[in-house]
Structures are given as structure tokens and as C-alpha cells.
Amino acid sequence: MADQDLFKKVLSHAKEYGFVFPSSEIYDGLSAVYDYGQQGVALKKNLREYWWKAMVQLNENIVGLDAAILMHPTTWKASGHVDAFNDPLIDNKDSKKRYRADVLVEDYVGKLDAKIDKEVQKAAKRFGDAFDKEQFLSTNPRVVGYKEKGDAILKRLGKSLENEDLADVKALIEELEIVCPLSGSKNWTEVKQFNLMFGTKLGASAESATELYLRPETAQGIFVNFLNVQKTGRMKLPFGIAQTGKAFRNEIVARQFIFRMREFEQMEMQFFIPPGTQKEWYAHWKETRLKWHHSLGLGADNYRFHDHEKLAHYADAACDIEFRFPFGFKELEGIHSRTDFDLGSHEKYSGKKLQYFDPERQENYVPYVLETSIGLDRLFLAVFSHALQDETLEDGSTRTVLRLPAVVAPTKVAVLPLVKKDGLPAIAKDIVNDLKWDMAVTYDEKDAVGRRYRRQDALGTPFCITVDHQTLEDQTVTLRHRDSMEQERLSIAEANSKLSKAIAFESWLK
Ligand code: GAP
């Protein structure tokens, strides 16, 4: 499927099969806000759990937290969000559409990247087995040209944003002759800064109400609880605090489905370390997090690191793990070396010491922080869009299959009686009642079995167990594999143990 067709298919499939719905759809929806349906909520929960187990359960020195969404307003002054959580926006005077100026430039560079990809694909076809991708990327003049141009543009953009030189961002857009995707015109306004936090009020009367913000990241809930957790958990550095939860941003450019939302969920981990060790921990968490992504089996080629040119106000190093979404490589997770900025700043604003006594160094200090931060909705989109495939079978027919990793699939197995009589439904229901204590299982007896297989394929169910007349005689069933469509005859006990192994967290992550 072409990328654009795939993306359209992702949206319609997500809705048709109960994964994602537009929010308050009966009122025509709310821009960039989405609800997760009966299938989506299970996939999202499983992804959250896959992250939580890898971060908290498997690491003795990482503990969890669930801080409130509403926080004291000074939190956001200390964190820098009141003054610096801005996006540069630009309007097109003809379409009256508003864009993020940096995204317009990055999309331009994305097109150069797509050209590089095309050249690579052409050359790979031409040279076959003899093709050396690395050599091609570093020597082909056209590819080198695209790469150099893209790098130079991003460098200049990074510098202009860092220096708050918004006039130069506008100049860059004009020099690159970027047009409004809607009107096709180059009639742009000046670039302005726009704060992304949602404001709200706490209190009964308008006069006495306190101005609050809906948190734009979960991280600050971790920072303000650093001492609570460290002291009550008797934690020794290095240690981490992980949390998942909602965050809110008044995004200017809300598009690309659940990629950029106004209400979304983050999974963040702050790792507290002694000052001076940040370089090694930065390398450690880059490697660890990439390995975790690879463990989901979406293909190592679909990930890449992107080092930040423009560092946020709190960071001394930062990169993104980017994923190849249907609309190109885009940020999936951020890894940031945040120095002692956050704890130091909360110390200053709260007047409370947020320090750690290091028994080895025999001194008190404000710890440094290494952060890993991933958007759960983006992870959902990465997994879902990669999994969705239209396949032509040997007999020429087609099927839509959602090849979700079994460990996160909403339903692990569907149990199907071949026919609705002869005692087969009762056996199938017994199997369901046995399995449901250990995994998500569904029962389906409607329609011919072939149609039921297709329905489960489209829902991403990795296995089907079919109960037929032979089951009555020898207690065996067929276990059908979603991806290969192979079927094997097994005893019920063998099928259960095969399933348990295939969906075990350990089988995927170890
Ligand atoms: N605490 C650091 C932080 O919030 P960020 O790069 O702004 O860093 C981290 O966000 C991750 O949150 C991103 O990599 C992305 O996956 C996700 N994210 C950010 N804004 C989002 C949005 N509007 N919609 C969906 N996910 C978003």
C-alpha cells in the first residue's frame, strides 16, 4: 500500500474495528482529541504494561509513581513552562490556516529524506545482493547533496530557534519557497511564539479562584516527589521513578490522527544520577530504550536516532528515537539529559532543599537527571500502523490482517466451535472458561469459520482454537496462527501451553 493510502486505511480500520473514535463524535468531534474503543483500550493497556514491566518490574532501582494532573502553579514557573513552553507559529494569509513554523521546515527536510529513501530503493534493486547501503549513502552525489542540504537547513533552524530569531525562521521558510499545503500560496505572516499550556481555575468564585494549568508533561510530578520517594523508599543513587499518565498541550498543528493530540498519555522515567555521570547514563538509556523498541519486532530498519540541534532549556544532550510512521520518520520517544535544572529550579522556587547525601562521595548535592519519555498514543500508532496489512493469498483472494505483536494484542485467542450444534459450543465455552484466567480470550460462533478467521485477523488476534467433531473423540483442537494461517492439531493442554509461551512477556523481552 502507498503510504498515504495506508494512513487512510489506518484511520478507517481503527474506527471500524473499535480501536479509536473521534471524541464526542455525535457533536462532530473535537479537534485532535480521541477516544479509545473496546479494542483500542486493551491494546493501549497492554502497551502501557509492556513499558511498565520493562522499566519498573525488571529494574530493582526503578519505582513507580502516580502524581496528580493538577499541580501547584509555581511548578510551571520553576519548570520553565510558563516562560519557554512555546511553539513558533505562522499563519497563511490566504487559507487563514495556522502552522508550526518549525514543522513546515522539518516537513521540507522530510521530503529530502524521502528522496534519499527512493534513491536507496532504486539502487538496491539495481545492484541486488552486491548493494552496500552504507557506501551508497556516503558516496552517491545526489544522496550526499540531499543529506547536506537537509542537515544545513536543520542546523540553521535549530540556531534561529535557540536564539529566538523568529525573523530568520520566516526568512528560511521564504528562501525554501515553502507553500501552504492548503492554498499553495507563499503569503505568510510573521512568526510568533504561542504558549501550549491549557489554563484552568481552582476555587468556587471567580475572584478567589487560583489559576492552574493542566500538566503539559508528567515529569514535573516526579521531580516534586523526588525527596518523598527517595526517603520513604530508602533509594540510593542511581535510581529512577517511572510514571504513566495524561498530559495536555494546546497544539497549534493538530493533525495526523493520534500522532499529535491535545490530550495524550506519556510514559516517563526520570533517572537520578550523580553529577558527572550523565554521559554514560545517556548512552545507557539510548541503547536500552532502542532495544526495548526492537523487542516488539516491528523491524530495526524502522527506527533511527535523531540528535537535537536545538536543546530545550533544561538539557545538555537530547535525542529522539524516531519511527517510520506512514507519513515518514517522526519522533516516538525522547531521551534527555536534563542536568540538575529541574531539581535545582524547584529548590529555588519552593525554598526546600532537594538534595541527596551521597555516602560514597560524603557530600550533599542536587542529583542530575536522565529522562526517557514516550507518548503512549504515538506508540499505539506505530504498532497499529505497522501491523495493518492487506495481503493477497495464494488463491488470489485478499485478507486484511493486523499483525499486532502477540504480547500486546487485545485478544490473545478466539475459541470457535466449527458448528453451532453437536455439543461443540459447550466444549468451546469450557475452553474459554479455562483460558480466561490467564489471558484475554473471546468466543465466536457466528458465520462460517473462514469468515470468523478473517474477523479475528482484522482485530489482530494472533491465535484461533477451533473445536470440531474430532474434538469429541480425542480432545484435540486445531490451533490456527494468524500470520502464517497454518493450523496444527494439538491436545487442548498442548494448545494452552503453546499459547502461554507465545504471549509471555518474557518470550518477547528477554
Ligand atoms: N518530559 C519531556 C517531554 O515531555 P516531549 O518531547 O515534549 O518531552 C515526550 O514529549 C513524548 O511525548 C514525545 O516523544 C511524544 O511521543 C509524546 N508527545 C508529545 N506531545 C504529544 C502530543 N501532542 N500528542 C501525542 N504525543 C505527544
Side-chain angles (χ1 to χ4, degrees):
M1 251 183 283
D3 287 353
Q4 242 180 358
D5 294 342
L6 171 64
F7 195 44
K8 273 193 200 143
K9 172 110 191 172
V10 164
L11 265 75
S12 64
H13 195 89
K15 172 138 191 250
E16 190 182 339
Y17 286 89
F19 283 88
V20 185
F21 306 128
S23 158
S24 25
E25 196 184 7
I26 59 168
Y27 296 104
D28 298 331
L30 186 64
S31 163
V33 186
Y34 291 90
D35 298 339
Y36 287 84
Q38 67 280 12
Q39 296 295 330
V41 69
L43 173 56
K44 197 173 165 199
K45 177 185 134 309
N46 294 344
L47 287 167
R48 189 190 296 113
E49 216 165 273
Y50 194 67
W51 180 87
W52 186 268
K53 284 188 173 163
M55 299 302 271
V56 181
Q57 189 172 316
L58 291 187
N59 289 297
E60 254 173 54
N61 62 348
I62 300 182
V63 293
L65 180 78
D66 185 14
I69 287 173
L70 298 177
M71 300 182 70
H72 192 284
T74 311
T75 307
W76 306 111
K77 191 75 194 147
S79 68
H81 283 81
V82 170
D83 297 319
F85 194 51
N86 300 316
D87 272 348
L89 69 83
I90 190 165
D91 292 289
N92 183 269
K93 291 183 196 163
D94 297 318
S95 67
K96 310 272 184 271
K97 265 289 206 198
R98 180 160 283 185
Y99 298 93
R100 260 178 67 174
D102 55 336
V103 171
L104 283 178
V105 176
E106 281 164 10
D107 282 352
Y108 182 93
V109 175
K111 283 184 192 144
L112 295 176
D113 285 344
K115 283 184 183 169
I116 294 176
D117 272 356
K118 235 184 206 152
E119 294 289 340
V120 169
Q121 278 165 19
K122 267 198 318 206
K125 230 186 212 166
R126 195 159 8 113
F127 295 117
D129 286 346
F131 183 58
D132 179 340
K133 187 173 166 188
E134 288 315 311
Q135 195 191 353
F136 181 77
L137 286 174
S138 58
T139 53
N140 179 278
R142 208 169 318 165
V143 166
V144 171
Y146 289 142
K147 177 91 179 71
E148 280 175 1
K149 185 172 179 190
D151 286 350
I153 292 170
L154 289 180
K155 201 164 190 169
R156 176 163 159 204
L157 176 70
K159 218 178 198 160
S160 314
L161 291 173
E162 198 168 321
N163 299 336
E164 296 265 326
D165 186 354
L166 300 182
D168 191 55
V169 178
K170 162 115 192 256
L172 188 55
I173 287 172
E174 284 176 338
E175 281 167 38
L176 296 174
E177 303 194 340
I178 293 175
V179 297
C180 165
L182 218 70
S183 66
S185 97
K186 295 179 224 157
N187 197 5
W188 297 108
T189 61
E190 296 308 309
V191 179
K192 284 175 283 189
Q193 291 289 20
F194 174 81
N195 193 287
L196 298 184
M197 281 197 293
F198 276 110
T200 185
K201 286 187 164 63
L202 177 126
S205 71
E207 306 81 61
S208 64
T210 311
E211 299 274 350
L212 294 185
Y213 296 104
L214 299 183
R215 68 180 178 199
E217 62 171 13
T218 59
Q220 298 305 321
I222 294 179
F223 292 125
V224 299
N225 278 295
F226 161 71
L227 264 197
N228 283 340
V229 174
Q230 191 268 317
K231 287 211 178 317
T232 57
R234 295 185 298 162
M235 307 301 291
K236 285 206 165 68
L237 253 59
F239 78 92
I241 305 178
Q243 111 164 298
T244 69
K246 286 284 175 100
F248 302 82
R249 295 182 188 180
N250 196 1
E251 298 283 359
I252 306 165
V253 187
R255 60 188 164 124
Q256 291 161 331
F257 192 36
I258 54 172
F259 180 81
R260 197 178 301 285
M261 302 160 88
R262 297 204 161 105
E263 173 181 340
F264 58 100
E265 190 165 336
Q266 287 188 315
M267 306 195 288
E268 300 202 294
M269 193 277 298
Q270 313 295 324
F271 200 67
F272 298 94
I273 54 174
T277 62
Q278 65 268 35
K279 267 207 177 111
E280 69 196 77
W281 283 113
Y282 182 61
H284 167 86
W285 281 110
K286 273 177 75 171
E287 190 192 328
T288 306
R289 292 303 304 146
L290 189 65
K291 258 196 196 150
W292 179 87
H293 284 285
H294 286 176
S295 75
L296 281 168
L298 311 189
D301 271 7
N302 290 318
Y303 299 89
R304 69 181 189 194
F305 283 115
H306 170 244
D307 293 321
H308 286 201
E309 290 286 342
K310 182 200 174 206
L311 290 174
H313 57 274
Y314 50 72
D316 71 357
C319 69
D320 299 331
I321 295 177
E322 293 187 336
F323 181 76
R324 196 198 299 267
F325 287 95
F327 36 81
F329 270 104
K330 295 274 177 201
E331 174 185 352
L332 173 58
E333 171 156 5
I335 298 166
H336 312 126
S337 172
R338 295 184 73 125
T339 68
D340 58 356
F341 171 83
D342 303 271
L343 290 180
S345 186
H346 285 303
E347 261 200 340
K348 208 166 79 197
Y349 278 85
S350 67
K352 311 265 164 44
K353 275 212 171 327
L354 294 176
Q355 300 194 358
Y356 172 78
F357 177 73
D358 188 326
E360 274 163 36
R361 295 189 185 186
Q362 285 290 306
E363 59 173 352
N364 278 304
Y365 53 76
V366 176
Y368 270 40
V369 171
L370 226 294
E371 168 184 71
T372 70
S373 174
I374 176 167
L376 177 53
D377 312 84
R378 267 188 208 184
L379 177 63
F380 184 111
L381 183 59
V383 170
F384 189 88
S385 59
H386 181 271
L388 187 61
Q389 290 171 14
D390 274 341
E391 210 178 66
T392 306
L393 305 176
E394 272 173 18
D395 64 2
S397 64
T398 57
R399 70 162 180 162
T400 296
V401 54
L402 193 60
R403 294 175 186 272
L404 294 174
V407 67
V408 295
T411 305
K412 308 304 184 196
V413 57
V415 185
L416 322 171
L418 187 66
V419 288
K420 258 194 277 183
K421 54 183 186 184
D422 304 335
L424 302 188
I427 301 177
K429 281 178 188 165
D430 280 348
I431 297 175
V432 168
N433 284 331
D434 250 9
L435 288 177
K436 71 183 181 191
W437 297 95
D438 300 318
M439 64 189 81
V441 48
T442 189
Y443 172 83
D444 190 6
E445 60 175 26
K446 201 166 166 273
D447 300 324
V449 76
R451 287 187 70 169
R452 282 181 269 163
Y453 285 150
R454 289 288 179 278
R455 193 152 57 226
Q456 295 303 327
D457 288 345
L459 288 168
T461 308
F463 302 100
C464 290
I465 285 178
T466 309
V467 174
D468 56 22
H469 291 94
Q470 198 181 324
T471 316
L472 295 171
E473 286 163 25
D474 61 8
Q475 277 81 51
T476 62
V477 290
T478 54
L479 181 68
R480 178 194 183 259
H481 298 250
R482 176 197 64 201
D483 295 345
S484 62
M485 297 200 299
E486 268 166 25
Q487 300 189 15
E488 49 182 338
R489 192 95 212 165
L490 299 167
S491 72
I492 295 173
E494 281 168 340
N496 288 0
S497 94
K498 216 165 202 177
L499 281 178
S500 303
K501 186 146 190 276
I503 63 168
F505 173 66
E506 192 182 345
S507 311
W508 288 80
L509 202 65
K510 211 167 189 176

